[in-house]
Amino acid sequence: MAETTSSSVIMEPLDLVRLRLDEEVYLKLRGDRELCGRLHAYDQHLNMVLGNVQETITIVDVSEEGQGQSIHTVNRNVPMLFVRGDGVILVSSPPRTA
Amino acid sequence: MLFYSFFKTQVGQQVTVELKNDLAIQGVLESVDQFLNIKLKEIKVVDSERYPHMMAVKNCFIRGSVVRYVQLSPQSVDTALLQDAARREAQSTQQP
């Protein structure tokens, strides 16, 4: 393999998270949960501290067999939240809702 | 070690620890370790009617791996300092 000269521009996935410090981020978590908040800190485990967070929990109501399922969401606001990294699935920017 | 240091600054603050089994415990942060295990004192279970298990418990030790969230008070958090520390930590843990 040819050696390329080392460059500070080479980005690892965690560099993309670093770019979003002090920006709004969208997190998908285990347990059908989503978070939107301002990213204040993170580490290599994806532990994070978020500010001004909105949590959305998606719940599927399964009625008796044959009847329809209904989906509803529960929202919650938390001013400052530490999130343990082992629950994080993905980190992205918030969806644009004009 | 970033969040270990961060939680050390939060010792003495009221926090609410939400566990992966949906139990939420409010209390004063007494200590933390490198695994982010947490000791809380003067605890009160949020929604204690649903979770009467801990009526008589005043202090507890929580294994770090069972924590989902820790709710903090925003005034106790220096966000600029945290962001700076995160940038520095990111550089030191990224090695080619």
Side-chain angles (χ1 to χ4, degrees):
Chain A
M1 279 199 297
E3 289 280 341
T4 53
T5 54
S6 66
S7 159
S8 56
V9 175
I10 294 172
M11 295 231 134
E12 303 178 343
L14 284 178
D15 290 329
L16 298 178
V17 180
R18 178 162 53 140
L19 288 182
R20 302 214 56 83
L21 272 173
D22 202 28
E23 308 269 348
E24 296 268 322
V25 296
Y26 162 84
L27 256 44
K28 191 185 213 290
L29 305 180
R30 299 184 69 175
D32 300 315
R33 288 160 192 260
E34 294 155 284
L35 293 176
C36 261
R38 183 160 291 261
L39 182 65
H40 292 305
Y42 74 100
D43 67 6
Q44 69 272 35
H45 305 295
L46 261 32
N47 295 324
M48 298 186 186
V49 169
L50 300 177
N52 200 17
V53 189
Q54 189 183 65
E55 179 194 36
T56 303
I57 308 173
T58 301
I59 300 179
V60 181
D61 297 322
V62 188
S63 332
E64 286 121 39
E65 292 177 20
Q67 297 181 359
Q69 298 178 341
S70 69
I71 288 193
H72 70 274
T73 60
V74 180
N75 279 315
R76 182 164 67 137
N77 283 304
V78 181
M80 189 67 64
L81 191 70
F82 164 82
V83 182
R84 191 173 163 92
D86 56 12
V88 176
I89 296 174
L90 70 78
V91 183
S92 181
S93 14
R96 287 242 193 125
T97 47
Chain B
M1 300 302 267
L2 206 196
F3 289 102
Y4 172 45
S5 309
F6 168 66
F7 277 118
K8 283 198 288 190
T9 70
Q10 297 294 307
V11 166
Q13 296 286 335
Q14 267 270 332
V15 298
T16 300
V17 182
E18 185 177 322
L19 306 182
K20 294 184 165 122
N21 67 356
D22 286 346
L23 186 60
I25 305 172
Q26 192 182 81
V28 175
L29 185 63
E30 187 184 343
S31 74
V32 70
D33 69 10
Q34 53 167 324
F35 305 107
L36 307 185
N37 296 327
I38 290 173
K39 279 183 78 174
L40 290 181
K41 57 183 182 188
E42 297 153 36
I43 66 168
K44 178 182 168 319
V45 174
V46 174
D47 200 4
S48 50
E49 294 101 48
R50 268 183 80 193
Y51 303 109
H53 313 83
M54 303 194 17
M55 287 278 180
V57 177
K58 295 213 179 75
N59 314 303
C60 69
F61 171 94
I62 301 173
R63 193 186 207 275
S65 63
V66 310
V67 172
R68 181 187 289 139
Y69 304 132
V70 179
Q71 295 169 32
L72 308 152
S73 85
Q75 313 93 293
S76 69
V77 175
D78 185 340
T79 57
L81 205 60
L82 253 189
Q83 288 167 19
D84 260 1
R87 282 190 198 98
R88 280 182 272 121
E89 175 97 354
Q91 279 178 340
S92 67
T93 51
Q94 272 169 8
Q95 297 295 339

